[in-house]
């Protein structure tokens, strides 16, 4: 299986906030999404996969849906 270069992946769908990360930060974002869910916040998690080229389309589409974004580093 070959990962597509420059194509982000929506790991978890959500409606309240977008968590954007890559590499080990994706696991941290998923844990944060679980904690947020306990408080009634539905988080969407995006795995960038690559930083260059950056998949702006996926990130901006999610941001338009949730109106909030947190970058997890």
């Amino acid at each position: 299986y070959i990962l597509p270069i420059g194509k982000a992946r929506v790991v978890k769908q959500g409606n309240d906030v977008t968590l954007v990360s890559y590499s080990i930060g994706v696991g941290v974002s998923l844990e944060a999404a679980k904690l947020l869910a306990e408080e009634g916040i539905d988080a969407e998690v995006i795995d960038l996969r690559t930083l260059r080229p950056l998949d702006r389309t996926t990130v901006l589409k999610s941001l338009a849906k949730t109106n909030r974004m947190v970058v997890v580093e």
Side-chain angles (χ1 to χ4, degrees):
Y1 179 74
I2 298 173
L3 293 175
I5 301 294
K7 182 67 179 150
R9 175 176 66 121
V10 178
V11 180
K12 179 187 174 301
Q13 295 286 333
N15 295 312
D16 297 327
V17 64
T18 300
L19 304 177
V20 179
S21 192
Y22 65 97
S23 189
I24 198 165
V26 176
V28 174
S29 298
L30 288 170
E31 290 177 28
K34 287 180 187 177
L35 293 174
L36 290 170
E38 292 173 3
E39 296 182 21
I41 300 170
D42 188 21
E44 180 158 294
V45 178
I46 296 180
D47 179 4
L48 292 175
R49 293 182 176 169
T50 60
L51 297 177
R52 185 173 278 173
L54 181 65
D55 185 3
R56 294 176 188 213
T57 304
T58 300
V59 173
L60 293 175
K61 183 177 176 183
S62 178
L63 179 60
K65 179 170 75 170
T66 64
N67 293 316
R68 294 170 192 85
M69 180 181 296
V70 177
V71 178
V72 180
E73 184 177 355

